[in-house]
Amino acid sequence: MINHIPLFSKVLVQILGSLLCIGLISGCSKSTDESSENQAELLPYLNPTLDIDVRVDDLVSRMTLEEKASQMINKAPAIERLNIPEYNWWNEGLHGVARAGLATVFPQAIGLAATWDEAHMFEVATAISDEARAKHHDFASKGKRFLYQGLTLWSPNINIFRDPRWGRGQETYGEDPYLTGRMAVQFIKGLQGDDPKYLKTVATVKHFAVHNGPEPERHEFDAKASMKDLWETYLPQFEMGIVEGKAYSLMCAYNRYNGEATCAHDLLANDILRGQWNFDGFVVSDCGAINDINAHHKITNSIEESSAVAVKHGTDLNCGLTFYPYESLPKAVELGLISEAEIDVSVKRLFKARMKLGMFDPPEQVPYAQIPYDVVDSQKHKDLSVVSAQKSIVLLKNENKTLPFKKDLEKIAVIGPNSDQWLMLLGNYNGVPSDPVTPLRGIREAVAADTEVVFAQGAELAPGLPMLYPIPAEVLSQKDGSPGLNVDYYNAADLSGDIVFSESQANLDINWNDKAPRADMDDDNFGVRWQGQITPTISGDYQIGVISTCNTKVYLNGDLIASTPYHFRDEYGDPRTKKSDWINLKAGETYQLEVTAGETYADAQVQLVWAEPKPQLKEKAIEVASDADAVVLVMGLTARMEGEEMDIQVDGFRGGDRTKLSLPQNQIELMQAIHALGKPTALVLLNGSALAINWEQENIPAIIEAWYPGQSAGTAIASVLFGDFNPAGRLPVTFYKSVDDLPAFEDYNMTNQTYRFFKGEPLYPFGYGLSYSQFEYSDFVLPDSINQGEGTSLSVRVKNVSDRDGEEVVQVYVSNKNPALKTPLRELKAFKRIHLKAGEEKQVQLELNAKAFMYVTDAGERVFEPGDFEVSIGGGQPYSQLKGSSNVLISKLSLK
């Protein structure tokens, strides 16, 4: 027995047991009986049989002040004397595990919201957390604990998409607090799992709380809004995510709210989050937000003061980009700005999270540690990504039943800049799929074998923003004139040391994901040099660049023309394009090419691209479409145009945000030219925000909104175009006719934005979407009255009156008809996505909770007041239906 072995051996056993518990060594797990016998020998914090708070208290009591501060940054270092391994808290899982190599990529969040399907959202989040767990344990088994490899996922983004100009709106679940909250609750539950002891992953709701642009000013912006708007619009979904979803983490935002930094906000952090909602998880700052408190908001005078005030307000973890303000906390204690006891509160929250993730327990006791790596990119998840993309597609228009097209047409023309670029499909915060399907490929795979599918780009994304394609092998050669490029590999990211091996490649378009080029190389520290020549076949102006997640440099004739420095990837994570200025190249002339890339962790992707001269783009598209039997236009935006604090400055876009709602003018002109041919035409839109497609709605017979559909985009789009899937997605945002319909972008007061307050006529209303089927509603059952504080049930009969099976989204809206104060015009308060076979009818029952009949006072108090309410049920909002949508029934209810 262990009590009879020498003291030195007992200490050795204890150390080995500690290492096993925290996963630093493997292959030495004990049976359950042996583990139980040895629990008495473990330090309390390593004993999984003890209460978690006892364990946390014990661990933190053993740490010095400096060690505590070191654990309060996202890149927390190891504490070797306590056998605590390094841990990087920063990971992403918005619509798939992001920025860590191979992963299943589902539709961007706005597309997931367009499914209006809570059960499906849970299924997607479960798949994401399965892959996150599998990848984390695979990384940890190899001693990897880098950025984007942990179990704390900084998703979902549940800010309200208040204004379609916000570039990050694509990351959200739309403009409605109720829809956002319902989808968020299911996403959180899917990420965190249902084990009574362990968290599967940690979900982080962000960005708390009044945050949605403008992107260029986000570090110094003061979002000003009333208490009524706070509780009516900006908080409900956070409350649902915290109180009902039990999200264990929350991220505070960059901006101020009514003068106070959100990461040091009395009302938000102390009163509401920790007080009213009893949140007991941890709060992380947005990355760089602690520094903003003094550097940009000018609220404090030093980094020590910023750190102290943030911790005092419950911001436990400091995410930094290039440095970490919380490293100054020991100095802040010395200056009397904060006490060590106050720091202990945050440190304990952080280690409690790590313990709830099972990081200090034997792996065999943690059920989620048993998830095998083969769930990553599994066929099950690939199939789920197809269904997700199909469910997210919204049919906006289908005049004269233009769709579905027949699969056996003689010739189909696919035209547009978004037709055949896989990165365009993903949106931001994305992983890397193994086999992405573009719209062009999806259409080619869907049609009959003898149907000809022809493609023309037709237009650039926007004037000044050309499409970039991989440089083709035909123009590349080695220095001796043989085809391809010479490639040398090094076992160092800085290309130092000897060449490990060399080979030739036809071109430079490679993705190693989270592996090395060869098994005997270090997959977190290798370098590659490509050398050769470019001999263009067309004279003119070119842009040459690289899409990369590595530290990559491109040289032409010895001059550095483009690079993606690694710190850029550290900040944003996603593959980013860096390109040269315009370079004039001559046909037939040879230019010396060299590309170097260094990989230091996680995933490795390098693609050499160019924008070559493309004369007569529109004319070539017209020629391609002129003899086609049908035309599919694939237009829209990309994550190169709308996103997070970007450097793009082209007409209609500013720093990631938009200044116009229409498509770029060159895309509109292309569509107008194709429309003039009189062909059966369908427009497919890829975008993350609402578009003012006024001319398109008037002139193009069929329009599909596909968002950023993820890896299975082409398969899903083709299934709708050719009738294999009956679309039933619904808009999670209002499509306006003009930016002139909206108040100033910087105005956070809810006056005339979102369907809840908009008094104008939208192009397409929130909740709108068509189907190849037709549905009728009847027998609406609702009580005449209820008492204050009570909810109620309602039911309706829905019948599919078409000859096609289909899905319908039943929506319930509530309007206060005689409010004491200004209230929303109407609010979504219940919904359910249902499936009905052709001719089938169902009695659908929904629940309205008591909060559906509350209103918010100017002081931010939620109260009941007797009065009359209008309740509608149907396939969309009342009074705002376009031709072809389902009918809506309206009834009255009195609150006593």
Side-chain angles (χ1 to χ4, degrees):
M1 296 294 293
I2 198 167
N3 290 332
H4 299 292
I5 63 177
L7 177 61
F8 174 79
S9 298
K10 292 173 68 176
V11 172
L12 178 61
V13 168
Q14 179 172 310
I15 293 173
L16 289 174
S18 301
L19 292 171
L20 171 64
C21 286
I22 58 178
L24 286 179
I25 60 176
S26 60
C28 54
S29 61
K30 300 175 182 149
S31 69
T32 304
D33 290 341
E34 289 175 314
S35 296
S36 298
E37 289 179 6
N38 293 333
Q39 295 304 333
E41 304 299 317
L42 296 175
L43 296 171
Y45 73 87
L46 291 174
N47 189 340
T49 66
L50 296 179
D51 179 80
I52 191 170
D53 290 318
V54 172
R55 298 175 68 189
V56 169
D57 289 347
D58 175 70
L59 175 57
V60 175
S61 72
R62 299 173 186 274
M63 298 168 64
T64 67
L65 174 60
E66 289 72 20
E67 288 171 336
K68 293 171 185 176
S70 77
Q71 299 300 298
M72 296 173 66
I73 63 177
N74 65 275
K75 190 177 180 180
I79 303 177
E80 293 183 4
R81 69 180 188 85
L82 295 175
N83 295 321
I84 298 174
E86 174 186 359
Y87 182 65
N88 199 307
W89 292 81
W90 187 350
N91 202 358
E92 303 287 352
L94 184 65
H95 55 119
V97 180
R99 303 174 174 176
L102 180 66
T104 307
V105 182
F106 296 95
Q108 177 60 293
I110 194 70
L112 291 174
T115 69
W116 288 58
D117 192 327
E118 293 181 73
H120 184 77
M121 179 66 96
F122 177 81
E123 193 175 359
V124 167
T126 298
I128 294 171
S129 56
D130 280 351
E131 295 198 6
R133 264 286 174 177
K135 290 179 75 70
H136 167 75
H137 292 298
D138 183 64
F139 286 131
S141 71
K142 301 170 184 174
K144 299 181 182 182
R145 301 179 183 278
F146 300 127
L147 185 65
Y148 309 130
Q149 295 179 352
L151 293 174
T152 39
L153 305 181
W154 293 352
S155 302
N157 182 341
I158 58 173
N159 291 126
I160 292 301
F161 200 173
R162 167 187 59 92
D163 190 300
R165 288 168 284 193
W166 185 35
R168 295 190 72 181
Q170 61 177 287
E171 302 172 26
T172 75
Y173 300 141
E175 68 184 38
D176 180 67
Y178 183 81
L179 176 65
T180 298
R182 295 313 318 153
M183 300 302 271
V185 165
Q186 295 304 316
F187 193 82
I188 292 162
K189 289 182 176 180
L191 287 190
Q192 297 193 160
D194 58 1
D195 188 85
K197 182 175 181 179
Y198 296 104
L199 289 168
K200 191 179 185 184
T201 65
V202 166
T204 303
V205 290
K206 63 183 185 184
H207 309 81
F208 195 57
V210 188
H211 175 83
N212 37 51
E215 282 298 304
E217 288 79 35
R218 65 181 183 172
H219 295 285
E220 64 265 11
F221 186 72
D222 186 7
K224 296 179 180 179
S226 68
M227 288 293 289
K228 179 176 175 62
D229 286 336
L230 178 69
W231 282 99
E232 202 168 60
T233 296
Y234 297 114
L235 287 186
Q237 70 280 7
F238 279 99
E239 183 175 14
M240 293 165 73
I242 294 295
V243 176
E244 184 179 350
K246 307 294 183 186
Y248 204 70
S249 176
L250 174 143
M251 178 181 284
C252 51
Y254 286 116
N255 57 277
R256 283 168 285 159
Y257 165 59
N258 287 352
E260 290 185 64
T262 62
C263 289
H265 204 286
D266 275 320
L267 174 66
L268 294 177
N270 294 337
D271 183 6
I272 296 173
L273 181 64
R274 299 286 185 189
Q276 297 183 44
W277 297 348
N278 296 310
F279 176 65
D280 64 352
F282 67 91
V283 173
V284 58
S285 74
D286 207 340
C287 301
I290 304 302
N291 183 54
D292 289 345
I293 296 175
N294 61 283
H296 298 116
H297 296 308
K298 310 297 183 183
I299 293 173
T300 59
N301 296 314
S302 68
I303 203 66
E304 291 83 7
E305 189 179 350
S306 295
S307 298
V309 73
V311 175
K312 283 174 173 285
H313 286 86
T315 301
D316 309 297
L317 185 65
N318 162 211
C319 177
L321 294 172
T322 56
F323 75 103
Y324 303 96
Y326 278 9
E327 291 178 328
S328 70
L329 283 170
K331 179 68 173 178
V333 172
E334 182 182 326
L335 294 172
L337 299 172
I338 192 171
S339 69
E340 185 170 356
E342 290 172 305
I343 290 172
D344 285 351
V345 174
S346 288
V347 179
K348 289 179 181 180
R349 287 174 184 153
L350 295 175
F351 277 100
K352 186 171 184 178
R354 290 182 68 174
M355 287 186 180
K356 288 176 76 67
L357 288 164
M359 292 182 177
F360 289 80
D361 294 356
E364 65 269 18
Q365 293 188 19
V366 183
Y368 300 125
Q370 316 310 315
I371 296 174
Y373 188 82
D374 60 15
V375 302
V376 178
D377 191 45
S378 64
Q379 190 60 50
K380 178 182 177 182
H381 290 178
K382 290 178 180 178
D383 294 342
L384 184 62
S385 75
V386 175
V387 175
S388 296
Q390 289 171 327
K391 282 178 169 283
S392 72
I393 290 174
V394 182
L395 180 61
L396 296 177
K397 183 181 179 183
N398 193 24
E399 187 178 78
N400 299 322
K401 297 185 178 179
T402 299
L403 294 178
F405 288 142
K406 294 181 180 180
K407 292 184 178 181
D408 58 355
L409 296 173
E410 186 174 334
K411 185 175 182 180
I412 298 174
V414 180
I415 294 171
N418 279 349
S419 299
D420 198 31
Q421 286 269 350
W422 70 271
L423 271 176
M424 309 294 193
L425 312 176
L426 306 184
N428 63 3
Y429 285 90
N430 59 282
V432 180
S434 61
D435 187 28
V437 182
T438 65
L440 177 61
R441 175 183 160 189
I443 290 169
R444 283 178 169 158
E445 292 177 351
V447 298
D450 57 351
T451 296
E452 182 183 7
V453 178
V454 291
F455 164 67
Q457 180 183 316
E460 302 289 12
L461 287 170
L465 192 64
M467 291 291 297
L468 297 162
Y469 293 95
I471 298 181
E474 291 76 18
V475 303
L476 299 173
S477 63
Q478 300 183 53
K479 291 184 178 180
D480 62 4
S482 58
L485 299 173
N486 180 74
V487 193
D488 297 325
Y489 296 89
Y490 300 80
N491 248 333
D494 62 1
L495 280 71
S496 61
D498 296 332
I499 296 172
V500 178
F501 75 101
S502 300
E503 65 177 358
S504 63
Q505 291 176 359
N507 64 352
L508 205 177
D509 186 1
I510 195 160
N511 182 8
W512 291 290
N513 280 307
D514 49 7
K515 294 180 171 55
R518 206 166 73 175
D520 60 344
M521 298 181 69
D522 184 347
D523 55 8
D524 284 323
N525 186 20
F526 68 86
V528 188
R529 175 182 281 113
W530 293 265
Q531 290 178 302
Q533 305 171 137
I534 295 180
T535 307
T537 59
I538 304 172
S539 295
D541 291 333
Y542 288 73
Q543 283 188 331
I544 298 176
V546 63
I547 300 173
S548 179
T549 55
C550 302
N551 182 3
T552 306
K553 295 180 173 62
V554 182
Y555 300 88
L556 195 68
N557 283 349
D559 296 327
L560 178 66
I561 60 170
S563 64
T564 56
Y566 212 76
H567 70 80
F568 187 81
R569 187 267 180 103
D570 283 350
E571 182 171 351
Y572 292 106
D574 303 314
R576 282 297 202 274
T577 305
K578 285 296 183 180
K579 58 184 183 296
S580 67
D581 294 327
W582 290 101
I583 300 172
N584 188 268
L585 303 180
K586 298 185 183 305
E589 188 168 325
T590 296
Y591 302 84
Q592 300 304 309
L593 172 71
E594 180 178 332
V595 181
T596 62
E599 170 63 10
T600 58
Y601 70 92
D603 60 323
Q605 174 187 349
V606 184
Q607 186 180 57
L608 185 66
V609 295
W610 71 1
E612 59 182 322
K614 303 185 200 112
Q616 298 183 314
L617 272 178
K618 184 168 66 174
E619 289 76 11
K620 290 179 180 178
I622 294 170
E623 180 182 349
V624 163
S626 61
D627 60 347
D629 298 295
V631 178
V632 179
L633 296 166
V634 189
M635 305 291 179
L637 310 177
T638 78
R640 289 175 58 195
M641 305 165 84
E642 55 178 350
E644 182 175 3
E645 198 176 4
M646 301 166 68
D647 57 5
I648 181 173
Q649 296 288 345
V650 300
D651 184 45
F653 302 88
R654 175 181 176 270
D657 293 329
R658 299 165 61 198
T659 59
K660 298 179 180 179
L661 300 186
S662 61
L663 288 171
Q665 186 60 32
N666 61 325
Q667 292 193 39
I668 296 174
E669 291 172 358
L670 171 63
M671 289 186 286
Q672 290 171 337
I674 299 299
H675 172 261
L677 299 175
K679 302 288 182 177
T681 302
L683 169 62
V684 177
L685 296 168
L686 300 182
N687 49 284
S689 52
L691 296 169
I693 48 170
N694 303 312
W695 179 88
E696 296 87 332
Q697 166 62 21
E698 286 294 321
N699 293 280
I700 296 179
I703 304 175
I704 286 173
E705 173 57 73
W707 314 105
Y708 296 130
Q711 68 181 48
S712 300
T715 304
I717 289 167
S719 73
V720 171
L721 288 172
F722 298 106
D724 294 324
F725 184 82
N726 191 349
R730 299 292 184 263
L731 293 180
V733 290
T734 301
F735 277 42
Y736 303 93
K737 294 181 178 180
S738 170
V739 73
D740 296 333
D741 290 334
L742 296 165
F745 182 29
E746 297 79 8
D747 185 358
Y748 273 71
N749 294 301
M750 298 304 294
T751 56
N752 196 42
Q753 62 275 72
T754 81
Y755 82 95
R756 296 162 62 239
F757 299 96
F758 184 57
K759 302 177 186 68
E761 181 182 349
L763 183 63
Y764 306 110
F766 171 89
Y768 172 77
L770 302 178
S771 169
Y772 295 150
S773 301
Q774 189 69 30
F775 302 93
E776 286 187 356
Y777 288 75
S778 62
D779 301 334
F780 182 16
V781 179
L782 178 76
D784 294 331
S785 65
I786 59 173
N787 295 320
Q788 295 179 42
E790 293 180 351
T792 186
S793 297
L794 53 83
S795 67
V796 71
R797 185 165 292 277
V798 186
K799 183 176 182 179
N800 182 346
V801 295
S802 70
D803 59 0
R804 289 195 56 135
D805 297 354
E807 292 183 310
E808 169 73 335
V809 179
V810 182
Q811 304 169 41
V812 178
Y813 295 86
V814 175
S815 298
N816 190 333
K817 301 310 292 183
N818 53 354
L821 298 169
K822 174 190 171 184
T823 61
L825 302 172
R826 65 187 62 89
E827 295 187 275
L828 178 73
K829 291 301 180 182
F831 64 91
K832 182 182 290 187
R833 183 162 176 157
I834 62 172
H835 183 274
L836 290 172
K837 296 179 179 179
E840 183 183 7
E841 60 181 335
K842 289 181 180 178
Q843 193 75 23
V844 179
Q845 183 165 313
L846 293 163
E847 301 295 324
L848 291 176
N849 63 35
K851 290 181 180 178
F853 304 101
M854 283 181 168
Y855 77 94
V856 180
T857 69
D858 288 338
E861 296 176 343
R862 292 177 292 185
V863 300
F864 295 102
E865 183 173 281
D868 295 327
F869 289 81
E870 180 182 271
V871 181
S872 70
I873 191 165
Q877 293 183 54
Y879 317 119
S880 61
Q881 301 155 71
L882 296 181
K883 183 179 179 182
S885 61
S886 303
N887 61 306
V888 174
L889 303 179
I890 300 173
S891 187
K892 304 291 185 183
L893 178 147
S894 294
L895 188 66
K896 301 295 186 184

PDB file of all heavy atoms in Angstrom, residues 707-723:
ATOM      1  N   TRP A 707     -26.723  34.297 -47.632  1.00  0.00           N
ATOM      2  CA  TRP A 707     -25.811  34.727 -46.585  1.00  0.00           C
ATOM      3  C   TRP A 707     -24.385  34.286 -46.915  1.00  0.00           C
ATOM      4  O   TRP A 707     -23.992  34.231 -48.067  1.00  0.00           O
ATOM      5  CB  TRP A 707     -26.287  34.195 -45.221  1.00  0.00           C
ATOM      6  CG  TRP A 707     -27.753  34.387 -45.001  1.00  0.00           C
ATOM      7  CD1 TRP A 707     -28.726  33.425 -45.064  1.00  0.00           C
ATOM      8  CD2 TRP A 707     -28.454  35.633 -44.749  1.00  0.00           C
ATOM      9  NE1 TRP A 707     -29.970  33.970 -44.845  1.00  0.00           N
ATOM     10  CE2 TRP A 707     -29.840  35.314 -44.649  1.00  0.00           C
ATOM     11  CE3 TRP A 707     -28.046  36.954 -44.585  1.00  0.00           C
ATOM     12  CZ2 TRP A 707     -30.805  36.288 -44.403  1.00  0.00           C
ATOM     13  CZ3 TRP A 707     -29.006  37.924 -44.331  1.00  0.00           C
ATOM     14  CH2 TRP A 707     -30.363  37.581 -44.245  1.00  0.00           C
ATOM     15  N   TYR A 708     -23.598  33.969 -45.888  1.00  0.00           N
ATOM     16  CA  TYR A 708     -22.316  33.276 -46.085  1.00  0.00           C
ATOM     17  C   TYR A 708     -22.571  31.837 -45.651  1.00  0.00           C
ATOM     18  O   TYR A 708     -22.564  31.527 -44.460  1.00  0.00           O
ATOM     19  CB  TYR A 708     -21.199  33.926 -45.255  1.00  0.00           C
ATOM     20  CG  TYR A 708     -20.903  35.357 -45.664  1.00  0.00           C
ATOM     21  CD1 TYR A 708     -20.843  36.386 -44.731  1.00  0.00           C
ATOM     22  CD2 TYR A 708     -20.669  35.673 -46.999  1.00  0.00           C
ATOM     23  CE1 TYR A 708     -20.570  37.693 -45.107  1.00  0.00           C
ATOM     24  CE2 TYR A 708     -20.405  36.984 -47.394  1.00  0.00           C
ATOM     25  CZ  TYR A 708     -20.362  37.985 -46.442  1.00  0.00           C
ATOM     26  OH  TYR A 708     -20.100  39.275 -46.831  1.00  0.00           O
ATOM     27  N   PRO A 709     -22.804  30.937 -46.608  1.00  0.00           N
ATOM     28  CA  PRO A 709     -23.437  29.651 -46.275  1.00  0.00           C
ATOM     29  C   PRO A 709     -22.507  28.575 -45.745  1.00  0.00           C
ATOM     30  O   PRO A 709     -22.965  27.476 -45.438  1.00  0.00           O
ATOM     31  CB  PRO A 709     -24.030  29.206 -47.623  1.00  0.00           C
ATOM     32  CG  PRO A 709     -23.800  30.328 -48.578  1.00  0.00           C
ATOM     33  CD  PRO A 709     -22.672  31.129 -48.037  1.00  0.00           C
ATOM     34  N   GLY A 710     -21.191  28.846 -45.650  1.00  0.00           N
ATOM     35  CA  GLY A 710     -20.289  27.840 -45.137  1.00  0.00           C
ATOM     36  C   GLY A 710     -19.795  26.892 -46.205  1.00  0.00           C
ATOM     37  O   GLY A 710     -19.925  27.122 -47.407  1.00  0.00           O
ATOM     38  N   GLN A 711     -19.219  25.786 -45.762  1.00  0.00           N
ATOM     39  CA  GLN A 711     -18.493  24.894 -46.663  1.00  0.00           C
ATOM     40  C   GLN A 711     -19.377  24.210 -47.689  1.00  0.00           C
ATOM     41  O   GLN A 711     -18.904  23.821 -48.757  1.00  0.00           O
ATOM     42  CB  GLN A 711     -17.747  23.844 -45.856  1.00  0.00           C
ATOM     43  CG  GLN A 711     -18.631  22.837 -45.126  1.00  0.00           C
ATOM     44  CD  GLN A 711     -17.802  21.852 -44.321  1.00  0.00           C
ATOM     45  OE1 GLN A 711     -16.898  22.230 -43.583  1.00  0.00           O
ATOM     46  NE2 GLN A 711     -18.101  20.575 -44.470  1.00  0.00           N
ATOM     47  N   SER A 712     -20.644  24.047 -47.401  1.00  0.00           N
ATOM     48  CA  SER A 712     -21.555  23.328 -48.303  1.00  0.00           C
ATOM     49  C   SER A 712     -22.430  24.270 -49.103  1.00  0.00           C
ATOM     50  O   SER A 712     -23.505  23.892 -49.572  1.00  0.00           O
ATOM     51  CB  SER A 712     -22.418  22.360 -47.498  1.00  0.00           C
ATOM     52  OG  SER A 712     -21.621  21.416 -46.828  1.00  0.00           O
ATOM     53  N   ALA A 713     -21.961  25.488 -49.297  1.00  0.00           N
ATOM     54  CA  ALA A 713     -22.756  26.525 -49.958  1.00  0.00           C
ATOM     55  C   ALA A 713     -23.288  26.076 -51.306  1.00  0.00           C
ATOM     56  O   ALA A 713     -24.486  26.162 -51.587  1.00  0.00           O
ATOM     57  CB  ALA A 713     -21.900  27.780 -50.130  1.00  0.00           C
ATOM     58  N   GLY A 714     -22.400  25.618 -52.185  1.00  0.00           N
ATOM     59  CA  GLY A 714     -22.816  25.278 -53.538  1.00  0.00           C
ATOM     60  C   GLY A 714     -23.828  24.151 -53.582  1.00  0.00           C
ATOM     61  O   GLY A 714     -24.784  24.199 -54.367  1.00  0.00           O
ATOM     62  N   THR A 715     -23.629  23.157 -52.737  1.00  0.00           N
ATOM     63  CA  THR A 715     -24.579  22.038 -52.685  1.00  0.00           C
ATOM     64  C   THR A 715     -25.959  22.524 -52.265  1.00  0.00           C
ATOM     65  O   THR A 715     -26.976  22.148 -52.850  1.00  0.00           O
ATOM     66  CB  THR A 715     -24.069  20.970 -51.704  1.00  0.00           C
ATOM     67  OG1 THR A 715     -22.762  20.554 -52.095  1.00  0.00           O
ATOM     68  CG2 THR A 715     -25.008  19.779 -51.668  1.00  0.00           C
ATOM     69  N   ALA A 716     -26.007  23.369 -51.224  1.00  0.00           N
ATOM     70  CA  ALA A 716     -27.280  23.865 -50.718  1.00  0.00           C
ATOM     71  C   ALA A 716     -27.959  24.794 -51.712  1.00  0.00           C
ATOM     72  O   ALA A 716     -29.173  24.695 -51.948  1.00  0.00           O
ATOM     73  CB  ALA A 716     -27.065  24.572 -49.387  1.00  0.00           C
ATOM     74  N   ILE A 717     -27.200  25.705 -52.294  1.00  0.00           N
ATOM     75  CA  ILE A 717     -27.770  26.650 -53.262  1.00  0.00           C
ATOM     76  C   ILE A 717     -28.340  25.905 -54.460  1.00  0.00           C
ATOM     77  O   ILE A 717     -29.465  26.174 -54.914  1.00  0.00           O
ATOM     78  CB  ILE A 717     -26.703  27.667 -53.692  1.00  0.00           C
ATOM     79  CG1 ILE A 717     -26.396  28.630 -52.531  1.00  0.00           C
ATOM     80  CG2 ILE A 717     -27.155  28.453 -54.921  1.00  0.00           C
ATOM     81  CD1 ILE A 717     -25.153  29.470 -52.744  1.00  0.00           C
ATOM     82  N   ALA A 718     -27.589  24.942 -54.983  1.00  0.00           N
ATOM     83  CA  ALA A 718     -28.076  24.171 -56.128  1.00  0.00           C
ATOM     84  C   ALA A 718     -29.325  23.380 -55.783  1.00  0.00           C
ATOM     85  O   ALA A 718     -30.239  23.251 -56.609  1.00  0.00           O
ATOM     86  CB  ALA A 718     -26.972  23.235 -56.618  1.00  0.00           C
ATOM     87  N   SER A 719     -29.401  22.866 -54.558  1.00  0.00           N
ATOM     88  CA  SER A 719     -30.581  22.080 -54.172  1.00  0.00           C
ATOM     89  C   SER A 719     -31.839  22.931 -54.169  1.00  0.00           C
ATOM     90  O   SER A 719     -32.940  22.434 -54.439  1.00  0.00           O
ATOM     91  CB  SER A 719     -30.360  21.436 -52.806  1.00  0.00           C
ATOM     92  OG  SER A 719     -30.415  22.385 -51.753  1.00  0.00           O
ATOM     93  N   VAL A 720     -31.703  24.238 -53.866  1.00  0.00           N
ATOM     94  CA  VAL A 720     -32.843  25.147 -53.923  1.00  0.00           C
ATOM     95  C   VAL A 720     -33.128  25.557 -55.367  1.00  0.00           C
ATOM     96  O   VAL A 720     -34.283  25.575 -55.805  1.00  0.00           O
ATOM     97  CB  VAL A 720     -32.590  26.382 -53.029  1.00  0.00           C
ATOM     98  CG1 VAL A 720     -33.660  27.438 -53.250  1.00  0.00           C
ATOM     99  CG2 VAL A 720     -32.539  25.975 -51.559  1.00  0.00           C
ATOM    100  N   LEU A 721     -32.083  25.864 -56.119  1.00  0.00           N
ATOM    101  CA  LEU A 721     -32.278  26.292 -57.508  1.00  0.00           C
ATOM    102  C   LEU A 721     -33.000  25.225 -58.336  1.00  0.00           C
ATOM    103  O   LEU A 721     -33.806  25.552 -59.216  1.00  0.00           O
ATOM    104  CB  LEU A 721     -30.938  26.615 -58.154  1.00  0.00           C
ATOM    105  CG  LEU A 721     -30.222  27.886 -57.701  1.00  0.00           C
ATOM    106  CD1 LEU A 721     -28.822  27.949 -58.306  1.00  0.00           C
ATOM    107  CD2 LEU A 721     -31.017  29.135 -58.078  1.00  0.00           C
ATOM    108  N   PHE A 722     -32.702  23.962 -58.069  1.00  0.00           N
ATOM    109  CA  PHE A 722     -33.260  22.888 -58.885  1.00  0.00           C
ATOM    110  C   PHE A 722     -34.345  22.090 -58.179  1.00  0.00           C
ATOM    111  O   PHE A 722     -34.790  21.056 -58.683  1.00  0.00           O
ATOM    112  CB  PHE A 722     -32.127  21.972 -59.352  1.00  0.00           C
ATOM    113  CG  PHE A 722     -31.112  22.681 -60.213  1.00  0.00           C
ATOM    114  CD1 PHE A 722     -29.861  23.005 -59.716  1.00  0.00           C
ATOM    115  CD2 PHE A 722     -31.429  23.062 -61.510  1.00  0.00           C
ATOM    116  CE1 PHE A 722     -28.937  23.677 -60.491  1.00  0.00           C
ATOM    117  CE2 PHE A 722     -30.502  23.745 -62.304  1.00  0.00           C
ATOM    118  CZ  PHE A 722     -29.258  24.048 -61.797  1.00  0.00           C
ATOM    119  N   GLY A 723     -34.795  22.578 -57.021  1.00  0.00           N
ATOM    120  CA  GLY A 723     -35.985  22.013 -56.400  1.00  0.00           C
ATOM    121  C   GLY A 723     -35.790  20.785 -55.553  1.00  0.00           C
ATOM    122  O   GLY A 723     -36.769  20.177 -55.115  1.00  0.00           O
TER     123      GLY A 723
END
